[in-house]
Amino acid sequence: LLQFLYFIGLMDDYNVLWLLGSGGNGVVQAVERRSDGAQLAMKTLLFEDTDTANMAMKEGQLMAELSHAHVVRCLRAPFVTVRHMTQLHIVMNRYAGDLYH
């Protein structure tokens, strides 16, 4: 997966710290923004079909516009297509703790 991040230049801005989780469409990694040391999360989703990618792109755009105390803030959501795979990289605030308790 890091090969995709290097390809679009995101790794110029972030250091990957560790894997937070993974699922059917991608991974979530703890990252540190190089410019100021901010501790963030980067969710990387991979899509093979255009319809699903377009739906995710709209969701990423909406997330970037949301601002609410009970919603994790999306800071950046770049999209890119590499080797027939569309990728959405959502950079968001990262919070410590267990969300289930």
Side-chain angles (χ1 to χ4, degrees), residues 52-65 79 88:
T52 306
N54 287 335
M55 194 166 42
M57 182 171 68
K58 289 176 187 174
E59 183 178 338
Q61 291 168 341
L62 287 172
M63 285 180 63
E65 295 173 12
F79 240 93
L88 172 61

Side-chain angles (χ1 to χ4, degrees), residues 19-62:
L19 180 69
L20 292 170
S22 62
N25 288 334
V27 299
V28 179
Q29 296 172 301
V31 297
E32 178 182 66
R33 188 168 44 209
R34 290 182 181 185
S35 63
D36 62 2
Q39 303 294 301
L40 305 168
M42 181 184 295
K43 182 176 187 177
T44 301
L45 302 170
L46 305 174
F47 304 98
E48 291 186 33
D49 75 89
T50 307
D51 292 338
T52 306
N54 287 335
M55 194 166 42
M57 182 171 68
K58 289 176 187 174
E59 183 178 338
Q61 291 168 341
L62 287 172

Side-chain angles (χ1 to χ4, degrees), residues 58-67 72-74 90 92:
K58 289 176 187 174
E59 183 178 338
Q61 291 168 341
L62 287 172
M63 285 180 63
E65 295 173 12
L66 284 176
S67 179
V72 176
R73 179 100 172 120
C74 173
I90 302 171
M92 61 192 96

